[in-house]
Amino acid sequence: MQNLTDTSTELSLDDVNTMSKIFGSLFYFPLNHENNQAIIELIKYSDDLEHNGFADFVHALTSEKNQALNDDFFLLFEGGEVMVAPPWGSVYLDKEQVVFGDSTVRLRQFLRANNIELNTGMREPEDQFGLMLFAISQLIEQSQDQPLVENLLTEHLLPWCLRYLELVEKHAATNTYQRLAALVKEWCLSIQDTWQLTPLSLKVYR
């Protein structure tokens, strides 16, 4: 498993693919979903747990009740009347802070042009953070084209995701989701630094 605390080593497409699948699942499904239960077991028993960056997340997860984690998932990713950390890119990049905004349309065009299908069985914005990580993984597996992956990152994800992860960390009611948000933010920054990426400069409205 990639060491998220070490940005001095080369970051391969395979590394990014693996972590995109892991973090995509953790940010799209509740933690008690079968996909995430399998991922959590893999992380818990990895030989380098104390050195790969996941230790704080695992320690928090094992100390908190399932109901608290489920409530936090609803608050952060599904929400009631007020979304404290909306997981959709256009809420940050659109002046009106709406879902299915212009940035969503641009992402949709990029995905279609590169034969990426995010079929969830629901009509939902493609720029949901977890879904975008799944798109990165799918793009890597289909193309093995790093410049294309970099384009998805710099033009569609990195312009807003760091602000989003800050809000998740700030508003999460559990240490587990606070740790997870901090971990994924560190991972995004490590990709940006290691691959020397310059995100598109877009105004973030939230």
Side-chain angles (χ1 to χ4, degrees):
M1 186 172 292
Q2 180 192 341
N3 186 336
L4 302 183
T5 62
D6 184 4
T7 60
S8 63
T9 58
E10 183 178 349
L11 193 62
S12 71
L13 282 173
D14 285 343
D15 292 330
V16 175
N17 182 19
T18 298
M19 300 313 302
S20 293
K21 285 181 179 177
I22 290 173
F23 288 140
S25 184
L26 293 174
F27 268 80
Y28 187 74
F29 300 112
L31 293 176
N32 61 0
H33 187 278
E34 60 182 358
N35 285 13
N36 285 338
Q37 286 297 299
I39 287 170
I40 289 165
E41 287 299 299
L42 178 67
I43 293 171
K44 273 185 182 179
Y45 298 107
S46 59
D47 293 336
D48 59 345
L49 176 63
E50 296 300 327
H51 305 287
N52 63 20
F54 280 94
D56 288 343
F57 166 70
V58 169
H59 294 158
L61 178 62
T62 55
S63 67
E64 294 184 305
K65 297 183 182 299
N66 287 337
Q67 187 59 53
L69 295 170
N70 290 338
D71 290 346
D72 214 11
F73 178 85
F74 177 78
L75 169 75
L76 295 168
F77 305 114
E78 295 177 342
E81 294 182 4
V82 178
M83 290 290 289
V84 293
W88 306 286
S90 67
V91 177
Y92 299 86
L93 300 178
D94 190 288
K95 188 175 182 180
E96 303 300 321
Q97 299 184 31
V98 295
V99 295
F100 290 108
D102 290 342
S103 62
T104 314
V105 174
R106 289 194 298 273
L107 172 64
R108 182 178 298 162
Q109 291 170 342
F110 174 89
L111 296 177
R112 285 179 177 173
N114 292 285
N115 301 311
I116 302 298
E117 293 186 17
L118 299 173
N119 185 8
T120 64
M122 298 183 290
R123 184 180 182 272
E124 60 181 325
E126 292 90 339
D127 59 352
Q128 198 270 359
F129 182 72
L131 282 182
M132 290 191 70
L133 296 184
F134 286 145
I136 290 171
S137 172
Q138 194 176 140
L139 185 61
I140 291 171
E141 292 183 352
Q142 288 182 191
S143 70
Q144 289 294 314
D145 186 337
Q146 183 165 323
L148 201 56
V149 176
E150 291 177 356
N151 182 267
L152 177 53
L153 287 163
T154 57
E155 295 195 13
H156 300 284
L157 184 65
L158 290 174
W160 65 275
C161 74
L162 298 180
R163 174 57 180 160
Y164 161 64
L165 293 166
E166 286 176 1
L167 289 177
V168 174
E169 187 175 7
K170 176 181 178 181
H171 292 290
T174 59
N175 287 330
T176 300
Y177 277 109
Q178 289 173 4
R179 298 294 188 185
L180 180 60
L183 189 60
V184 179
K185 182 181 177 183
E186 183 177 1
W187 176 69
C188 289
L189 288 170
S190 75
I191 296 174
Q192 184 173 318
D193 180 60
T194 306
W195 284 1
Q196 299 183 328
L197 304 180
T198 302
L200 197 64
S201 181
L202 298 174
K203 184 173 179 58
V204 175
Y205 290 93
R206 195 177 181 97

